[in-house]
Amino acid sequence: MNRIVTITIAAALSSLAFAGVSRAESFGMNSAQGIEQTLRTFRGNDFNVEQVRNWHNLDDETTGPRSAPERSSQAIRGIQASIDANRSLAHRLNNEGVDVRNIVNAEQAADGSVTFYVR
């Protein structure tokens, strides 16, 4: 019985430790610095492009997702500079018809894919 309790406690502590790590990554991975680092090193083809809605016309419900938060001008320039620094990513986006200067946000999902938001 004592052995079962010990194993159960160890498993519970182990799962809590792993949950904390994944949660900590998710908090920082879409911060301005986190997403810039991700974009500088992103090597995958797993990305999609979404139109952002008009932030100045909050009644506009047809031009894109509500989930993309608006970034500051400095953060947008950081995202664009990070993409420019990653030539292969910039090339793949260009092949998809995406002008890097139109990207106003990027978010990384838990599965490692990236969504780029364009205006």
Side-chain angles (χ1 to χ4, degrees):
M1 183 69 174
N2 195 14
R3 183 175 170 185
I4 294 172
V5 171
T6 303
I7 292 172
T8 303
I9 290 172
L13 289 175
S14 176
S15 65
L16 285 175
F18 285 120
V21 168
S22 65
R23 192 173 303 133
E25 286 178 356
S26 65
F27 284 142
M29 71 184 185
N30 285 313
S31 67
Q33 295 81 16
I35 196 66
E36 288 175 23
Q37 179 61 34
T38 297
L39 295 175
R40 279 187 172 83
T41 60
F42 186 71
R43 298 285 180 240
N45 287 321
D46 192 13
F47 66 83
N48 59 21
V49 179
E50 298 283 338
Q51 290 286 124
V52 295
R53 69 186 200 128
N54 184 347
W55 295 103
H56 301 292
N57 181 3
L58 297 179
D59 293 332
D60 182 4
E61 298 289 334
T62 62
T63 60
R66 291 178 159 269
S67 63
E70 189 170 14
R71 299 248 187 197
S72 69
S73 297
Q74 182 179 359
I76 292 170
R77 285 190 301 275
I79 287 170
Q80 293 171 349
S82 296
I83 295 168
D84 287 337
N86 184 339
R87 293 286 182 207
S88 64
L89 176 59
H91 181 72
R92 285 188 303 243
L93 286 167
N94 187 46
N95 286 346
E96 295 290 324
V98 177
D99 182 354
V100 173
R101 298 299 146 237
N102 290 334
I103 295 175
V104 295
N105 201 350
E107 291 182 329
Q108 184 178 20
D111 67 359
S113 65
V114 175
T115 299
F116 294 98
Y117 296 96
V118 297
R119 59 172 175 236

